[in-house]
Amino acid sequence: MALDKTGIAKRIAQELRDGYYVNLGIGIPTLVANYIPEGMEVTLQSENGLLGIGPFPKKDEVNADLINAGKQTVTYMPGAAFFDSAASFAMIRGGHIDLTVLGAFEVSEKGDIASWKVPGKLVKGMGGAMDLVAAARNIIAACMHTDKDGNSKLLSACTLPLTGVNCVKRVVTDLAVVDITPEGFRLIERAPGISVEQIKNATAGKLVIEGDIPEMKL
Amino acid sequence: MNKVVKDAFEAIQGLKDGMTVMFGGFGLCGIPENCINALVEMGIKDLTCISNNAGVDDFGLGLLLRKHQMKKMIASYVGENKEFERQLLSGELEVELIPQGTLAERIRAGGAGIPAFYVPAGFGTEVQGNKEVREYNGKMHVLEAGMTADFAIVKAKVGDTRGNLIYNYTANNFNGPMATAGKITIAEVEELVPYGELNPNHIHTPGVYVKRIFQGKNYEKRIEFVTTRD
């Protein structure tokens, strides 16, 4: 069965490693924070200026001066640090963040990503997404494999305005884990109960399938 | 050296129609509420506003929008504001969207006397436009310009009479960089203390950048999305 958003987040959490500094985008990526493996130390960065995001506050802990990049009230972990937004993007641009996870409207087989603008609809702005995809060392895109009408989001070339070029390394969807390689999308894992054929049919870009494709272990 | 002014109205003396103004804050967090309210009351118009966001309909920079005092908005993310959408779609308001890190760095560079610099963000996207591009270390970069403003208005938790500022948690955000980039920088603070009282080790913005400072009042500190775990 295809994964739900929680399932995608659980699978992405398996990409975390002890000691990682991670930036999680809005939407599915935010859910990844709920599945950090027990005993693993992962530090979450918020691009407005916080390293060490904690859980949401209790009602009596809410502080207007303490929010995440989605403008939600948060807390901070022991060992956290606060800084200004220029310093925050210096650590992003400088390649000091180990992993960035962000949502996507479309991903191309070359690793291009479109995630910020749908022409004809309202434009809200790119926020920090362009800076993150241009600079992070390892970028995972999280999205459904197809849109509501069944159109593939994994394309040979993006049709929407780009957020960044040649930057996504891996895509985790409700159907599969695929890597971006010079040959195109390479199928790494299948969602439980999903066949290679189903993934092939849902992928518009070039999909490389080699050998047995294992099921995700969630 | 007297930097202390009595209130927001005295602080914005000389801020005229058509000027470019930076406003600190991220969302509604750390915004200079007193000065925004004073600008609304004075009716200063045709402003070019530089701020990461545009406030909400009835708070923050949304108040300037509602009274049509803004000619142009330079920001990275402008969701959560219906009046903004309306003015944008009707062509009443000019908008320039800049990636958040590039916006922060353009302000930092402007304050630091750096006229331009290369960043990877935006390469191959519509942000690149007809800016110069260049390859460094095997990667393409876009030339971006440093940015200053006629006035920068920031908000801090504590300040002293010499203009030294300390921010609270994530309310530093764009306030720190913007404080350096105004021809005239105004700081409004929740608490103003005599110089010498703050621990110099803890200063975020050294007073050299701040021309005018005052203790604000009636801070609402509205929260956009209250999220709790209980």
Side-chain angles (χ1 to χ4, degrees):
Chain A
M1 214 178 77
L3 302 176
D4 57 8
K5 288 178 179 179
T6 304
I8 297 174
K10 279 184 185 165
R11 177 58 191 82
I12 293 172
Q14 294 174 8
E15 305 287 323
L16 301 171
R17 298 291 176 269
D18 195 44
Y20 261 20
Y21 290 91
V22 179
N23 184 292
L24 300 175
I26 292 163
I28 300 172
T30 306
L31 301 174
V32 175
N34 300 332
Y35 304 104
I36 298 170
E38 194 87 20
M40 188 181 281
E41 274 190 28
V42 170
T43 306
L44 300 178
Q45 201 244 18
S46 186
E47 59 266 30
N48 50 328
L50 163 58
L51 205 52
I53 308 172
F56 291 132
K58 292 180 182 160
K59 258 192 206 103
D60 57 359
E61 292 173 344
V62 167
N63 187 330
D65 288 341
L66 184 43
I67 64 169
N68 64 16
K71 302 171 195 163
Q72 299 170 309
T73 48
V74 290
T75 58
Y76 61 93
M77 299 297 282
F82 296 99
F83 34 85
D84 69 61
S85 299
S88 182
F89 281 94
M91 68 182 69
I92 290 166
R93 204 182 297 108
H96 306 282
I97 301 298
D98 298 292
L99 173 66
T100 290
V101 184
L102 79 167
F105 299 152
E106 296 175 343
V107 181
S108 85
E109 62 191 35
K110 293 183 181 65
D112 300 346
I113 178 169
S115 68
W116 74 283
K117 182 177 181 179
V118 180
K121 293 196 180 168
L122 186 82
V123 178
K124 294 188 171 186
M126 66 292 280
M130 284 195 184
D131 310 274
L132 281 157
V133 299
R137 287 204 304 267
N138 190 8
I139 296 159
I140 296 178
C143 60
M144 294 297 160
H145 213 99
T146 57
D147 68 18
K148 286 186 190 95
D149 304 321
N151 301 309
S152 182
K153 294 183 170 196
L154 278 64
L155 310 169
S156 49
C158 294
T159 64
L160 295 169
L162 295 176
T163 309
V165 295
N166 261 324
C167 51
V168 175
K169 300 279 190 291
R170 176 165 273 198
V171 189
V172 179
T173 75
D174 54 333
L175 302 184
V177 176
V178 299
D179 279 356
I180 310 294
T181 70
E183 292 76 42
F185 295 114
R186 177 182 294 270
L187 184 56
I188 303 296
E189 289 176 17
R190 302 173 285 121
I194 299 293
S195 70
V196 169
E197 205 55 32
Q198 281 173 289
I199 296 163
K200 224 163 120 179
N201 290 337
T203 307
K206 191 179 172 201
L207 185 67
V208 178
I209 303 156
E210 275 181 4
D212 264 355
I213 307 298
E215 265 191 11
M216 299 178 194
K217 290 186 185 68
L218 294 170
Chain B
M1 186 184 350
N2 185 26
K3 299 187 175 189
V4 180
V5 294
K6 134 175 135 278
D7 58 16
F9 293 96
E10 193 181 340
I12 62 167
Q13 289 284 319
L15 202 166
K16 297 191 173 71
D17 292 355
M19 280 188 165
T20 297
V21 186
M22 289 179 181
F23 294 89
F26 180 95
L28 303 178
C29 177
I31 60 171
E33 295 180 25
N34 280 222
C35 283
I36 292 170
N37 291 338
L39 286 169
V40 171
E41 205 169 317
M42 298 296 287
I44 296 160
K45 59 184 193 300
D46 296 326
L47 295 172
T48 293
C49 297
I50 304 168
S51 169
N52 189 57
N53 314 89
V56 294
D57 283 324
D58 61 344
F59 194 62
L61 293 184
L63 298 170
L64 284 172
L65 270 168
R66 201 159 66 173
K67 290 188 69 186
H68 299 89
Q69 292 171 264
M70 237 186 251
K71 181 180 70 184
K72 182 175 179 183
M73 177 85 221
I74 298 173
S76 87
Y77 185 84
V78 292
E80 280 84 63
N81 191 320
K82 288 206 173 55
E83 176 63 13
F84 187 96
E85 292 181 24
R86 197 196 63 71
Q87 290 189 23
L88 175 59
L89 295 171
S90 68
E92 292 164 58
L93 180 70
E94 196 184 330
V95 178
E96 185 180 346
L97 294 170
I98 298 177
Q100 197 176 321
T102 297
L103 178 62
E105 189 62 16
R106 287 183 64 182
I107 295 162
R108 195 201 69 81
I114 297 170
F117 55 90
Y118 282 97
V119 283
F123 176 78
T125 75
E126 55 188 59
V127 164
Q128 180 187 317
N130 45 22
K131 292 168 190 157
E132 284 178 43
V133 295
R134 190 161 163 179
E135 186 180 323
Y136 287 99
N137 305 321
K139 191 168 174 169
M140 293 307 292
H141 292 74
V142 180
L143 185 67
E144 296 282 1
M147 193 185 254
T148 57
D150 296 311
F151 277 80
I153 307 179
V154 303
K155 191 248 169 180
K157 176 81 174 171
V158 194
D160 72 18
T161 51
R162 290 275 164 91
N164 294 302
L165 304 176
I166 297 174
Y167 306 103
N168 196 35
Y169 299 121
T170 58
N172 185 336
N173 56 60
F174 278 80
N175 283 299
M178 284 180 176
T180 70
K183 291 190 188 92
I184 295 175
T185 292
I186 299 167
E188 57 173 86
V189 297
E190 287 179 50
E191 189 190 356
L192 183 64
V193 301
Y195 75 86
E197 278 198 14
L198 298 179
N199 183 336
N201 283 310
H202 297 167
I203 306 294
H204 291 120
T205 293
V208 66
Y209 296 112
V210 176
K211 294 281 189 299
R212 304 173 187 173
I213 188 166
F214 68 96
Q215 183 167 307
K217 53 185 183 223
N218 304 324
Y219 282 105
E220 181 180 336
K221 297 180 77 165
R222 198 186 291 184
I223 299 171
E224 247 169 290
F225 304 113
V226 178
T227 42
T228 59
R229 63 174 187 265
D230 45 29

